[in-house]
Amino acid sequence: MEGGNLFAKADLLLDKILKWVDETPKSRILLTLLMVNFLAVMPIIAGYIISPNPDHESNTDLDIFRDRAGTILDGDLLYRDTDNVTLTPPVINYLLTPPMILGDDIIVWQLWFTGFTFLTSGLMFLMISSLANNRVGFTAALFYQSSPFAVYTTAAMVQDDTIIPLFLLFIMAMIIKKLWYKAALFAGIGTMTKLFPALVAPLIFFDSNDWKTRFRIVGLGIGSAFLICLPFLIFAGDEFIPFLEFYLLGKEPVGITGLEEDIAIARGMSMWAFLARVNLVVPTGLLHGLFILSIIGIWTMVGKGNLDSIRGFSLCILAIFILYSKLHYGYHLMLLVALIPWSMHDYRRILGLFMAALVARIVHLEWRDYLNLPGGELIPLLLAIGLWLYWIWWARVLINGPSFSEQWSEEASAKGMKVVLVSSALFFCLIFVVRLIIQI
């Protein structure tokens, strides 16, 4: 009986929180999201402050970030003057300069990448609340920024993977609002940040109705990308062209060899990497060929009207996790952008995405040889296959399900919103307890 009363009180508290959100101005909700966003990562950051780990930075890409950002701040030129070969587009490197200016401490980097998590969650709140109401937008945003994918990527791994979801979500939001030119501009700039926005950029073209608009979309998208590339083509052409060949064609730059010598390492935490560990190697060329064909197929279906553009958008992102050979933990933030808008009407989908983040964390740690689970390669392989099948299930749901507008004609799940609040709170508590145990 007491247990029943406890659950009833908890349910009442959740109702009060959601009611407060509905009655609160959007500016205050954004401020609340900002505070929660930083509170989510503070146990991990505080743990490193109290008990510094000398190997923490060596397990990140901070040396690479500093090389490229430092080159920019020194007045030198990317691609030509960096100590290491630059294999990323220009914009991402300029977005790495503020942490250098602000002190170049690992905590500054953690907070910088956490800031992009907030920007993405804030944009998600504004987008989803425009489709439904404040409470749905708030819980969608809270789910994004309190996911293990977001918390671990920013605070524990200190990765720049939090940046590109902002570009992808902006493109999605502009497609929903049919603001084609803004979507095209962000797609061009986003592609010069990381490759992934190029996968969804053609959907902007297909979703517009007249050819005059389409020509302008192409001009804005390609034109903005070309203008970003132009200075490097002029002043560092010998170094920039090999980067473009690597970026667009997969051609390995001269002097960088052995990227595929250990294919299980090169493929990150993908299922294909764990298959390679047990000597079941699927050729990279075959995987990428199938990946390109699937993306073209999605574009074609959207162009013919067999899929709405937002379903096409989400399927393009899912294709990365089903067929692309290389995956990292932070890449999954793109999946949250693609799938959270499809999950707010079914609490089981929300719970599934949260559990997938925890499973993926185990797979990632095992790939980095941090866990050494019993059974050799069997357990991580089975977990990786399970994740892979889960993303295939999601693709099937999107292909066979209703259009985006039909989905949002229904009322979002009240139970789903409560699942977000509870799972977020439990995860925060888990992080705090784990850090406390580590410190003890």
Side-chain angles (χ1 to χ4, degrees):
M1 194 69 177
E2 290 181 2
N5 290 333
L6 182 63
F7 282 118
K9 289 179 180 179
D11 191 61
L12 183 61
L13 175 62
L14 295 175
D15 283 331
K16 287 182 178 179
I17 293 172
L18 293 174
K19 186 175 184 293
W20 174 84
V21 170
D22 264 342
E23 297 172 349
T24 301
K26 285 183 169 57
S27 58
R28 288 186 63 184
I29 294 176
L30 288 171
L31 181 60
T32 301
L33 287 170
L34 176 64
M35 294 171 60
V36 172
N37 183 49
F38 284 102
L39 284 173
V41 299
M42 284 314 298
I44 296 177
I45 294 176
Y48 289 122
I49 294 173
I50 296 169
S51 180
N53 179 0
D55 297 325
H56 189 204
E57 287 197 23
S58 64
N59 294 326
T60 69
D61 291 331
L62 285 180
D63 285 345
I64 297 173
F65 299 161
R66 287 165 173 153
D67 176 26
R68 297 167 184 173
T71 298
I72 295 168
L73 294 174
D74 289 341
D76 294 327
L77 197 62
L78 277 175
Y79 306 100
R80 187 189 67 192
D81 300 323
T82 50
D83 294 333
N84 303 295
V85 175
T86 303
L87 297 178
T88 52
V91 175
I92 188 70
N93 300 296
Y94 284 88
L95 292 175
L96 298 176
T97 56
M100 294 284 288
I101 297 171
L102 295 172
D104 190 25
D105 188 87
I106 189 170
I107 297 173
V108 175
W109 287 94
Q110 289 169 314
L111 294 176
W112 178 248
F113 294 140
T114 300
F116 279 95
T117 301
F118 163 69
L119 291 175
T120 305
S121 69
L123 179 57
M124 182 168 290
F125 162 69
L126 296 173
M127 184 185 83
I128 299 295
S129 61
S130 70
L131 297 171
N133 51 50
N134 278 8
R135 67 169 61 191
V136 182
F138 173 77
T139 50
L142 180 65
F143 184 62
Y144 177 83
Q145 68 180 30
S146 64
S147 165
F149 286 131
V151 174
Y152 287 126
T153 299
T154 55
M157 298 161 59
V158 202
Q159 287 296 329
D160 62 351
D161 295 323
T162 60
I163 295 176
I164 202 61
L166 177 63
F167 288 85
L168 288 171
L169 186 59
F170 191 90
I171 295 169
M172 176 189 272
M174 293 303 102
I175 291 176
I176 291 172
K177 292 181 176 295
K178 301 189 182 302
L179 299 174
W180 316 123
Y181 300 147
K182 290 182 180 180
L185 182 62
F186 236 70
I189 298 172
T191 301
M192 289 296 100
T193 305
K194 284 286 181 76
L195 174 66
F196 301 112
L199 302 177
V200 300
L203 302 177
I204 308 167
F205 175 88
F206 289 124
D207 208 33
S208 56
N209 295 321
D210 63 277
W211 282 99
K212 184 178 179 180
T213 301
R214 288 178 171 179
F215 281 125
R216 288 178 177 173
I217 287 169
V218 172
L220 273 171
I222 295 178
S224 59
F226 177 74
L227 286 176
I228 291 170
C229 291
L230 188 59
F232 304 101
L233 287 169
I234 295 173
F235 298 108
D238 290 343
E239 294 81 11
F240 190 65
I241 290 175
F243 151 72
L244 287 177
E245 291 175 340
F246 174 79
Y247 191 57
L248 300 176
L249 306 175
K251 182 180 177 182
E252 195 173 281
V254 176
I256 303 295
T257 58
L259 292 178
E260 294 291 334
E261 285 181 2
D262 190 340
I263 200 165
I265 295 176
R267 288 181 173 180
M269 57 169 287
S270 69
M271 180 190 71
W272 314 108
F274 286 97
L275 286 174
R277 285 190 173 193
V278 295
N279 298 317
L280 296 174
V281 179
V282 180
T284 301
L286 174 61
L287 288 174
H288 288 183
L290 292 172
F291 173 68
I292 292 170
L293 287 175
S294 70
I295 295 296
I296 293 174
I298 294 166
W299 294 346
T300 303
M301 292 176 72
V302 173
K304 290 184 175 180
N306 296 327
L307 282 176
D308 62 279
S309 56
I310 302 301
R311 267 195 296 178
F313 179 102
S314 299
L315 285 167
C316 283
I317 302 302
L318 274 167
I320 300 169
F321 296 84
I322 295 172
L323 291 171
Y324 197 62
S325 65
K326 180 181 178 181
L327 290 179
H328 290 301
Y329 189 77
Y331 288 8
H332 292 79
L333 288 171
M334 297 186 293
L335 265 183
L336 292 185
V337 165
L339 298 180
I340 286 176
W342 296 96
S343 302
M344 300 309 296
H345 298 82
D346 189 335
Y347 76 94
R348 293 167 295 186
R349 295 182 186 180
I350 293 172
L351 196 56
L353 288 175
F354 185 80
M355 296 304 298
L358 296 176
V359 172
R361 181 62 176 164
I362 296 171
V363 173
H364 174 261
L365 291 173
E366 184 61 26
W367 167 64
R368 297 296 298 266
D369 294 324
Y370 289 159
L371 292 182
N372 296 316
L373 295 174
E377 305 292 348
L378 181 61
I379 292 178
L381 175 60
L382 291 176
L383 291 176
I385 291 174
L387 281 173
W388 184 73
L389 292 173
Y390 179 60
W391 305 133
I392 290 177
W393 174 83
W394 256 110
R396 183 173 175 273
V397 166
L398 292 178
I399 291 171
N400 297 328
S403 68
F404 192 74
S405 59
E406 291 171 334
Q407 172 94 14
W408 281 97
S409 65
E410 302 175 6
E411 186 175 347
S413 166
K415 189 173 183 179
M417 288 180 273
K418 293 177 182 179
V419 166
V420 171
L421 296 175
V422 172
S423 62
S424 299
L426 290 176
F427 179 61
F428 290 172
C429 292
L430 175 65
I431 288 290
F432 180 80
V433 170
V434 168
R435 290 308 310 182
L436 185 63
I437 292 172
I438 291 173
Q439 296 312 126
I440 294 173

